[in-house]
Amino acid sequence: MPSSPEEICLHVCITCREAGGPEDKELRPGAILCRALTAALSQKGSPPVRVKPVECLSVCKRPCTIAVSAPGRWTYIYGDLKADTAVDTIIDGLRRYAATSDGLVPWRERPEAFRKGVIARIPPLKTSGTA
Amino acid sequence: MPSSPEEICLHVCITCREAGGPEDKELRPGAILCRALTAALSQKGSPPVRVKPVECLSVCKRPCTIAVSAPGRWTYIYGDLKADTAVDTIIDGLRRYAATSDGLVPWRERPEAFRKGVIARIPPLKTSGTA
């Protein structure tokens, strides 16, 4: 059973620092990205996604890092996303994810940053078919 | 609410090939590891975990790769595991994961292969507290 779009969760790691980047937590790339995504996803017409900041996704060498998940759908983790340019790309990818029943967006339909930046994917915990 | 240990799922990627490794799907390192883990986890006294083969976890450059997940617990993805030596280590790590309520095993208590091989981690979809 696919989840409703409202249950899609976008975790954004707010902790990673870029080499030479500022110490201030509010100025770290993931924190900037998280605020920008929260603002963008509150706009009318945006895919219905909950944004949740997280202290660490254990992908520390490839900031910014996000995880997209929903009950009954595959989870995807992406890295190498730029705080200042990735918002539109991420929202495009979320819209495509929301349009699927299982989270599997065909490779060629994924934003390029998602194709290049994929860190891992995990099947949903409970599926109606095979693993 | 933590899940019961019976709901812990171990996904094992059975697809990746090592450089120069055999083409035969049954002889790929993940397939060998998956069979060994299934046998080991059927032994009395093993942590109660369902082993599920999966075609691709998108961590293609670091075989063997596994994902450990359960409802209400953090999901962890590990790579760089050796098919012929990692079974005991993985079962040790699973036992520690099963002993937690949220999937968070303290860093120093994790098997070394889990500390070095962590690819990513993702919070549970629904938590009772903060993200």
Side-chain angles (χ1 to χ4, degrees):
Chain A
M1 175 81 67
S3 58
S4 75
E6 286 72 15
E7 293 176 90
I8 294 172
C9 185
L10 174 66
H11 283 105
V12 182
C13 174
I14 58 170
T15 303
C16 295
R17 280 198 293 161
E18 286 181 313
E23 178 69 31
D24 185 342
K25 285 190 172 183
E26 296 299 311
L27 299 178
R28 295 186 189 182
I32 294 169
L33 178 63
C34 191
R35 289 194 296 271
L37 284 166
T38 302
L41 285 165
S42 69
Q43 300 295 311
K44 195 175 175 183
S46 299
V49 174
R50 282 184 301 133
V51 181
K52 296 184 81 172
V54 59
E55 291 289 336
C56 179
L57 291 170
S58 283
V59 194
C60 310
K61 292 179 182 170
R62 297 178 64 179
C64 300
T65 307
I66 63 171
V68 184
S69 50
R73 298 183 198 211
W74 286 70
T75 294
Y76 279 82
I77 304 109
Y78 301 105
D80 302 327
L81 298 164
K82 299 301 164 200
D84 51 352
T85 59
V87 172
D88 289 347
T89 295
I90 293 169
I91 290 177
D92 177 33
L94 288 170
R95 202 182 300 279
R96 293 170 190 272
Y97 183 86
T100 70
S101 60
D102 55 9
L104 295 170
V105 177
W107 178 262
R108 282 177 295 184
E109 295 175 19
R110 297 177 200 172
E112 186 181 4
F114 277 19
R115 292 200 301 265
K116 289 186 175 175
V118 65
I119 304 289
R121 65 175 198 162
I122 306 115
L125 271 175
K126 292 180 182 177
T127 57
S128 55
T130 59
Chain B
M1 176 84 65
S3 59
S4 74
E6 287 73 14
E7 292 176 271
I8 294 172
C9 185
L10 175 66
H11 283 105
V12 182
C13 173
I14 57 171
T15 303
C16 296
R17 279 198 295 160
E18 287 181 313
E23 177 69 33
D24 185 342
K25 285 190 172 183
E26 295 299 311
L27 299 179
R28 295 186 189 180
I32 294 169
L33 177 64
C34 191
R35 289 195 295 273
L37 284 166
T38 301
L41 286 164
S42 69
Q43 300 293 311
K44 196 176 174 184
S46 299
V49 174
R50 283 185 301 132
V51 181
K52 296 185 82 170
V54 59
E55 291 289 338
C56 179
L57 292 169
S58 284
V59 193
C60 310
K61 292 180 182 171
R62 296 177 66 178
C64 301
T65 307
I66 63 171
V68 184
S69 51
R73 299 183 197 213
W74 286 69
T75 294
Y76 279 82
I77 305 109
Y78 301 106
D80 302 327
L81 298 164
K82 299 300 165 200
D84 51 353
T85 59
V87 172
D88 290 347
T89 294
I90 293 169
I91 290 177
D92 177 33
L94 289 170
R95 201 182 301 279
R96 295 170 190 271
Y97 183 87
T100 70
S101 61
D102 55 9
L104 294 170
V105 177
W107 177 262
R108 283 178 295 184
E109 295 175 20
R110 297 176 201 171
E112 186 181 3
F114 277 19
R115 292 199 300 266
K116 289 186 175 175
V118 66
I119 304 291
R121 66 176 198 163
I122 305 116
L125 271 174
K126 292 180 182 177
T127 57
S128 55
T130 59

